Amino acid sequence: MAIPTSVAWVLLALCCGQVLGSVGGPLKVAVAANFRAAFVVVGGEFERVQGLELAPVFGSSGLLATQIRQGAPFDAFLSADMARPAALVRDGLAAGPVRIYARGKVALWTPKGNASPMALQEGRIGLPNPKLAPYGQAAVECMQALGIWEGIQNRLVFGNNVAQVGHFLTAGSLPAGFVALGQLVSVDAPAERFWVCPANTHRPIEQGAVVVRRSPMAFAAERLLDFIAAPARQARLAQLGYAADG
Amino acid sequence: MAEDVLASLTLTAALAATTTVALLILAPPLAWWLAHTRRRGASLVEALVALPLVLPPTVLGFYLLLAMAEDAWLGASWHSLTGQPLAFTFSGLVLASIIYSLPFVAQPLTASFRNTPTELLDAASVMGIAPATRFLRFMLPLHRRALVAAGVLGFAHTVGEFGIVLMIGGNIPGETRVLSILLFDQVESLDYASAHLTAAILLAASLTALTLTYGTLRRR
């Protein structure tokens, strides 16, 4: 009798774990690499206020979107652009409409030199792949507007996303590169080491968020997006390297 | 789209060919030493050679990226030697590939060298046949199969390299954007039509290379 009873207990525990895991477990959020530092701050606040645990996964938006298409168990997706979440909504994989949760700023970072676009006369320059990364696209537009794109085009080193370019710069492999301002705020870069592309030199970097349709915690995911969109958090994001909600 | 694929295909072939040639020069003496030495430190050297088989490519990529920075020892000495940077260049990829593919070339050679009939070589030596001739007439034919296997495995494994190139390559067209990286790009940008083409090329080329090798090895 002893053995069947213990088996029953194990089964019961497994069932409970299953149920709790799908309902009360951490909210799994796919977050674009540029938003990592900001998400740690804002997400931490959410966990404290709402008492709900978050399990963020950081990566390039393209990869995260592909994973969601292949059935990755994410509840919400915070992309670096509007196009990828919009495509998920269009294909019935996410609930629309796409909400803008942040507006990015792109910066030129020279960890050891004085940052100025005019200092890009020589040496290689890190750029998030403009085909994949909205920050890379914005940096290209910015350099075109400044009229220096032609001169540096053949000295570019491409990162998969802003995080990889930041890593190349931190490792000392590159003297200069374009990253998200949000990354620099988190590493406390001194003001003379970076230069922010003026907003009028590139199209705005609007970052969109959606709730994944098959999420068993869609309600909680929706609450997270509401939380980030609230004026208090948007004001906080303005201190963390993102444009104030406009 | 097709130009992208062609550029990456040429680059991948050039990288794999350069790496294979370099390894076929470097690996045989090392393999011979490993096969015949009785020194105490030999197992450590053998372990070092085999290390890329078990290490995640990210470990190698991480160390190589730091070492290749322009003010780090490797990057700085390369720069003073050639005037060129090492990180994010074709030369940097060749160096990484040599380390990464070394076990695939060294191991079949070591195994084959261990089975060298030394009496034959001794006899040739006693008969006064010159070392160069001994090498050409005995060693090469004796270990031909192992050399072919080592070359093909080294080549194919370099073509299949991904993790390290992703970490130290910088995705530069014509310089470091090899086929596996191009495929990753295409998948991330949801360009599945191009991704299918690239993936099919890699699959067909690898299968052909391996089939031809096993065919050659089986026949004689």
Side-chain angles (χ1 to χ4, degrees):
Chain A
M1 233 13 232
I3 292 167
T5 313
S6 60
V7 169
W9 277 114
V10 168
L11 284 177
L12 186 65
L14 281 176
C15 291
C16 288
Q18 206 64 37
V19 171
L20 288 176
S22 60
V23 179
L27 197 61
K28 292 182 274 305
V29 194
V31 184
N34 77 81
F35 202 62
R36 181 174 206 133
F39 189 82
V40 169
V41 174
V42 176
E45 256 177 68
F46 177 80
E47 287 181 321
R48 275 196 304 281
V49 175
Q50 305 275 340
L52 195 63
E53 204 188 328
L54 297 176
V57 171
F58 303 100
S60 53
S61 304
L63 193 61
L64 295 171
T66 306
Q67 289 172 347
I68 290 171
R69 281 175 187 278
Q70 302 307 323
F74 291 120
D75 299 298
F77 175 37
L78 274 61
S79 181
D81 66 352
M82 297 296 281
R84 289 193 181 91
L88 289 178
V89 171
R90 188 194 62 217
D91 297 339
L93 294 157
V98 182
R99 304 166 61 166
I100 300 179
Y101 67 93
R103 289 176 171 78
K105 292 182 182 178
V106 62
L108 173 69
W109 185 24
T110 51
K112 285 175 193 151
N114 276 341
S116 145
M118 297 310 144
L120 295 177
Q121 305 293 342
E122 55 171 26
R124 285 172 308 165
I125 302 130
L127 184 73
N129 192 339
K131 267 200 320 199
L132 310 172
Y135 282 85
Q137 182 56 40
V140 172
E141 289 169 17
C142 169
M143 287 181 286
Q144 283 168 337
L146 295 173
I148 57 172
W149 172 242
E150 296 298 319
I152 64 175
Q153 226 173 338
N154 52 3
R155 286 184 281 128
L156 295 172
V157 169
F158 297 102
N160 219 23
N161 51 35
V162 289
Q164 200 184 15
V165 174
H167 156 61
F168 287 157
L169 291 162
T170 311
S173 312
L174 284 178
F178 287 91
V179 295
L181 184 61
Q183 288 168 275
L184 294 181
V185 172
S186 71
V187 297
D188 249 343
E192 70 273 16
R193 298 279 190 247
F194 64 88
W195 176 85
V196 181
C197 286
N200 61 3
T201 58
H202 61 84
R203 281 173 289 167
I205 307 171
E206 294 177 333
Q207 306 194 187
V210 284
V211 172
V212 179
R213 195 169 279 270
R214 51 192 289 168
S215 159
M217 299 174 72
F219 182 70
E222 200 67 56
R223 271 206 336 242
L224 172 68
L225 299 195
D226 288 341
F227 185 85
I228 299 175
R233 253 67 61 185
Q234 289 295 312
R236 187 85 184 88
L237 287 183
Q239 302 165 346
L240 293 172
Y242 293 84
D245 199 9
Chain B
M1 166 195 117
E3 287 152 39
D4 275 8
V5 176
L6 195 64
S8 292
L9 182 64
T10 320
L11 181 70
T12 308
L15 176 67
T18 315
T19 305
T20 308
V21 169
L23 278 173
L24 283 180
I25 294 168
L26 294 172
L30 177 66
W32 183 262
W33 184 79
L34 282 176
H36 296 292
T37 185
R38 294 217 173 87
R39 280 179 172 252
R40 211 171 262 254
S43 10
L44 177 64
V45 178
E46 198 162 11
L48 280 173
V49 170
L51 209 49
L53 288 175
V54 294
L55 271 188
T58 39
V59 174
L60 264 181
F62 175 63
Y63 283 133
L64 279 173
L65 184 74
L66 293 184
M68 285 180 181
E70 261 164 59
D71 49 3
W73 65 273
L74 189 59
S77 25
W78 181 266
H79 193 272
S80 63
L81 218 66
T82 64
Q84 300 287 323
L86 195 53
F88 314 116
T89 62
F90 183 76
S91 316
L93 282 198
V94 170
L95 180 69
S97 306
I98 286 176
I99 297 173
Y100 187 54
S101 295
L102 178 62
F104 288 82
V105 177
Q107 288 192 338
L109 290 179
T110 309
S112 183
F113 288 166
R114 285 206 168 114
N115 291 325
T116 306
T118 38
E119 320 79 59
L120 193 69
L121 290 180
D122 290 344
S125 164
V126 169
M127 285 160 74
I129 298 175
T133 317
R134 286 200 312 256
F135 179 76
L136 285 175
R137 301 291 298 275
F138 293 105
M139 287 300 287
L140 281 188
L142 270 173
H143 301 291
R144 195 191 57 238
R145 288 156 60 106
L147 282 164
V148 170
V152 173
L153 282 177
F155 189 92
H157 192 244
T158 307
V159 170
E161 201 174 326
F162 172 68
I164 294 188
V165 189
L166 188 69
M167 289 189 76
I168 66 165
N171 200 351
I172 303 166
E175 174 99 26
T176 58
R177 185 181 290 163
V178 293
L179 279 175
S180 59
I181 298 290
L182 178 71
L183 175 60
F184 185 66
D185 252 27
Q186 291 164 337
V187 172
E188 274 213 33
S189 50
L190 304 181
D191 183 3
Y192 287 180
S194 309
H196 271 300
L197 176 63
T198 312
I201 290 177
L202 278 169
L203 182 63
S206 309
L207 187 62
T208 311
L210 289 178
T211 311
L212 286 177
T213 320
Y214 289 131
T216 319
L217 296 181
R218 202 173 269 270
R219 223 170 295 131
R220 297 132 209 238

